[in-house]
Structure formats: structure tokens, C-alpha cells
Amino acid sequence: MTRQMKAEREKRASILESEGMRQNEINRAEGQKQAQILEAEGRKEAAFRNAEARERSAQAEATATTLVSNAIAGGNPQALNYFIAQKYVEAVSQFATSPNAKTILFPVEATQLIGTLGGIGALAEAALGKDGGTTAGPKAPPPRRPGPFEQA
């Protein structure tokens, strides 16, 4: 009788242990499932936000292009100069960030670059006005200074 009671207790203990291990595995699998779901949702949200940012950037670029195109069509050459200066500055910045560039030789002298940047400032002033956009009419760009190798 004692042996039977001992066997019954061992049987119940074994069942309880196996049920505990089963529940442990279920909880672990459920946690992994939830982690994968949250990770996938995070990737989905990041992709959505990246696409939204690209869309807004493209809309801003399209608006800027339309405004400059309208200005060019209206006979304002400063608008075209703006695009040229913008691309020039982008090209110069790529030279500066190149990992193997030790010496940079520019096909145009640096004073013209400074003049171009000044022209961009004049374009911004003309577009916005001195007092934040209330002044009418574009301001004439500053006169070009001769370079060090040019005669005055």
C-alpha cells in the first residue's frame, strides 16, 4: 500500500513537472511570436515614414522647380542662375567629402564661387524682401569683383 501511494505521488509529480515544462515552452514561443510581430510592425512603420518623407521631398522639389520655371518664363535670369549655383555648390561639396581627395583644383577661381554664393543671397533677398517678404521688386545683384588674375 505504501508503495502504491509512493508511486501515485511520483506519477502526479511527473505530470505536474511535464505540464510546467509544457507551459514554459508555450510562454517562450508566445513571447517570440509577439517579438517578431512587434519587429515587423516597426519595420512597416519605418518604411511608411521613409516613403512619406521621400514623397514630401519630391513635392517640395517639384514646387521649387515650378516656381523657378515660372520665373524663367517670366524673363527673370536669376532663377536659372539659382539652379546653376545650387548644382555648383553640390558638386564642390562632393569634392570636399571625397575620401581620396587630398588636393582639389577648381576649373573656376574661388572668387567666382564666392560671387555665386553672394548671388544666391541676393536671390533670396529678392524673393523674400529685406523685411521678410514685404518688399516688392527684385534687388540687383552686387557687381562682380575681378579675380586675382584679372585686370581691374
Side-chain angles (χ1 to χ4, degrees):
M1 182 102 115
T2 319
R3 286 187 202 158
Q4 186 179 7
M5 287 175 38
K6 182 179 178 184
E8 190 65 34
R9 280 190 295 238
E10 286 177 0
K11 176 183 168 186
R12 277 189 248 144
S14 176
I15 290 172
L16 289 175
E17 185 179 339
S18 67
E19 285 179 0
M21 289 183 355
R22 177 180 173 263
Q23 191 61 43
N24 183 27
E25 290 297 320
I26 290 172
N27 288 345
R28 184 177 293 130
E30 195 64 38
Q32 288 176 349
K33 173 186 167 186
Q34 192 65 26
Q36 289 175 350
I37 289 171
L38 291 174
E39 185 178 332
E41 286 177 356
R43 285 193 311 266
K44 176 183 172 184
E45 181 70 21
F48 175 77
R49 291 186 185 254
N50 285 338
E52 189 177 59
R54 285 192 309 269
E55 182 181 347
R56 286 187 183 186
S57 177
Q59 286 174 346
E61 185 72 25
T63 301
T65 302
T66 301
L67 290 173
V68 171
S69 295
N70 291 341
I72 292 171
N76 187 352
Q78 288 181 340
L80 186 57
N81 290 341
Y82 168 76
F83 265 139
I84 293 170
Q86 182 182 20
K87 294 300 179 184
Y88 189 82
V89 170
E90 288 173 9
V92 169
S93 69
Q94 287 178 354
F95 279 127
T97 59
S98 174
N100 60 356
K102 303 295 182 216
T103 303
I104 301 173
L105 299 175
F106 290 103
V108 180
E109 61 187 60
T111 57
Q112 287 181 348
L113 174 62
I114 294 169
T116 303
L117 295 176
I120 292 172
L123 287 173
E125 276 184 19
L128 300 175
K130 276 284 195 193
D131 53 357
T134 59
T135 305
K139 179 184 171 188
R144 186 182 170 285
R145 294 187 347 216
F149 301 109
E150 295 177 333
Q151 292 182 347

